[in-house]
Amino acid sequence: LWAEASFCQGLRAGYAVALSQLSLSAGLGACRSTFDNATLRAQLHELSLDASVAHVWDFSRLSLAFGAAAGASWLRERFETRGRAPGRDSLGLALGALLGSAIDLDDGYYAFADAVGGVLFFEQRSEGGTDTLLAKPGLRLTLGAGKHF
């Protein structure tokens, strides 16, 4: 959310259902980002819930996916400074495009990589105390493993 902030690193878990033409998935994620400058130290904690729909092309052991994702996030910002900077909580909504790949391993396991590029919409409070709706581009990269049931 801040131009100079660290990447929001965290954990993610989800579940997918593969249909004949589409794959549907839902996920829950949590991450933490930090920002430091001469007068302020900030932390952002994000808890997100999202859903996606994608078409998957299967090529032997390799699968490629393209689709759309939407989700909601709870954003908690906390600040440390000599001045006054109260923490804030806000709700964010995200929309994006999904690109993914997976490779089948042994015994029904698979490894995957997903990239979701999109826009996060959220309110941010200015120094004057007014809330402004912002739209920030973002990229979520996920590496993981799963099991087919």
Side-chain angles (χ1 to χ4, degrees), residues 13-147:
Y15 189 81
V17 175
L19 305 173
S20 62
Q21 293 295 315
L22 297 172
S23 286
L24 308 173
S25 64
L28 178 66
C31 70
R32 180 178 176 265
S33 176
T34 60
F35 169 77
D36 290 297
N37 66 21
T39 59
L40 179 74
R41 179 180 198 140
Q43 293 182 8
L44 170 75
H45 298 271
E46 178 181 355
L47 183 61
S48 62
L49 177 65
D50 60 71
S52 66
V53 59
H55 182 79
V56 179
W57 292 270
D58 291 316
F59 304 100
S60 184
R61 293 179 54 162
L62 176 70
S63 299
L64 300 175
F66 178 74
S73 296
W74 173 49
L75 308 169
R76 170 170 266 196
E77 297 173 286
R78 296 296 176 252
F79 306 99
E80 295 175 25
T81 183
R82 287 186 233 176
R84 184 177 178 273
R88 6 180 214 244
D89 295 299
S90 60
L91 177 66
L93 300 175
L95 298 172
L98 170 114
L99 292 173
S101 63
I103 187 161
D104 288 331
L105 305 172
D106 293 332
D107 298 322
Y109 290 95
Y110 62 97
F112 67 91
D114 288 338
V116 177
V119 178
L120 177 64
F121 300 92
F122 63 98
E123 284 189 336
Q124 189 171 54
R125 183 161 293 144
S126 68
E127 290 180 23
T130 60
D131 290 337
T132 304
L133 182 64
L134 297 177
K136 296 275 188 166
L139 178 65
R140 183 186 77 213
L141 302 173
T142 305
L143 300 174
K147 171 100 170 103

